[in-house]
Amino acid sequence: RSNTSHNLPANLRGGSRVPDQVKISPSSMQDALGCPRCLVVAHRHGIQSENFMPWVGNFAAWEEKHFVGKNIADEVPGAPSWTVTSKGSKTIRSAPLPLAGVRDEYILAGRYDLLAEDEQGNTYIVDCKTASMAEDKADRYRMQLSAYARIFEDPHPEDGREPIKIAGIGLLIHHPQGFLRAPESERGSYDHIFHLKSHFLPVDRDDAALLAQAKRIAQTLERDGYPELNPGCAECQREAFGAGKTPSV
């Protein structure tokens, strides 16, 4: 069995097909079907949209390192009294999802941000976001956090992890406010301070919606051929232009 993000030819053993094990990223689930064509192209050929900003990775690493060992309530007014016990350092996987009527096996695979515990020992997942106020919506990240919860509760048998019951999920959201000149006494180390306003947003899990979306993704990936160019997708419009077609306006 292969662990793959690409649509490799089926392996044959004794004339029977061995299913591929396809990874679905929790962070991409919510918008995966925004453009079915881009989803299939990325899956089969590894061609991804170039929308990553390098500084985001650095900021996330600093943020996660800062919170480990701290009580979130001491850092963010109104946040629950959860102490962060660890940050994600590697990709972890779920067991194959129970998706009926699909050809391959589908697993969730991703790296969580923070794991926290309350005074009773209950475990929580906290995802960190840097966003504008307009993006401050639990619905936008519900599927991603529900996916991480499933990864912990139903781990991949090859990962060697014990199941961990997740008592709750939430977002730690930082809203950029601007830059200030660093105090003169600190300017030997840095010149400016990046100001953030932070708050915590609880999120309700929706495992049924998660599995329904995973099945829709699987069905899209397993259809023959490629979906039509999407007139609402910039990537598809560039593809159309390169092929000599007139992009939709």
Side-chain angles (χ1 to χ4, degrees):
R1 178 172 299 156
S2 58
N3 290 327
T4 178
S5 296
H6 308 291
N7 193 24
L8 300 178
N11 298 316
L12 296 178
R13 293 181 185 171
S16 62
R17 184 182 185 281
V18 177
D20 290 329
Q21 201 166 79
V22 182
K23 297 176 183 176
I24 302 177
S25 169
S27 61
S28 67
M29 287 199 70
Q30 181 75 26
D31 301 320
L33 296 173
C35 179
R37 184 179 182 88
C38 285
L39 173 68
V40 172
V41 168
H43 171 70
R44 295 181 184 174
H45 305 288
I47 301 173
Q48 305 285 346
S49 300
E50 296 184 3
N51 57 2
F52 178 72
M53 295 180 289
W55 76 273
V56 173
N58 291 334
F59 181 87
W62 299 329
E63 176 186 31
E64 293 162 13
K65 182 179 179 180
H66 172 79
F67 279 97
V68 171
K70 293 183 171 64
N71 189 311
I72 300 175
D74 295 335
E75 296 282 319
V76 179
S81 184
W82 301 346
T83 299
V84 177
T85 57
S86 69
K87 64 183 183 69
S89 59
K90 63 179 181 179
T91 297
I92 55 177
R93 304 173 295 171
S94 73
L97 300 174
L99 306 179
V102 299
R103 183 183 65 225
D104 291 320
E105 289 184 345
Y106 290 81
I107 63 173
L108 303 168
R111 187 184 69 82
Y112 68 96
D113 286 349
L114 302 173
L115 211 62
E117 290 185 358
D118 61 18
E119 293 181 352
Q120 289 72 44
N122 299 309
T123 302
Y124 302 85
I125 295 173
V126 179
D127 202 63
C128 302
K129 301 295 181 187
T130 303
S132 68
M133 292 299 291
E135 296 178 299
D136 187 1
K137 297 179 181 178
D139 286 346
R140 180 174 178 81
Y141 303 109
R142 188 184 318 281
M143 201 165 292
Q144 178 183 359
L145 284 161
S146 297
Y148 284 128
R150 187 174 187 94
I151 289 174
F152 276 100
E153 292 183 346
D154 190 20
H156 196 285
E158 296 176 1
D159 279 5
R161 295 181 294 113
E162 292 296 323
I164 297 176
K165 175 65 178 175
I166 300 301
I169 54 179
L171 295 167
L172 188 56
I173 302 179
H174 307 296
H175 305 287
Q177 302 296 300
F179 283 85
L180 287 178
R181 189 77 165 100
E184 189 171 351
S185 60
E186 302 292 335
R187 291 177 192 172
S189 301
Y190 52 88
D191 299 311
H192 294 88
I193 300 171
F194 187 41
H195 275 234
L196 302 169
K197 190 174 181 61
S198 305
H199 77 280
F200 181 85
L201 183 67
V203 178
D204 294 326
R205 281 177 66 173
D206 193 339
D207 293 346
L210 169 70
L211 292 176
Q213 178 76 339
K215 185 167 184 176
R216 287 190 290 268
I217 292 171
Q219 291 170 332
T220 300
L221 295 178
E222 293 185 3
R223 291 191 187 105
D224 293 334
Y226 291 84
E228 294 294 322
L229 291 167
N230 180 356
C233 170
E235 296 289 340
C236 285
Q237 294 302 289
R238 282 190 282 270
E239 181 183 346
F241 184 81
K245 300 177 182 179
T246 302
S248 301
V249 178

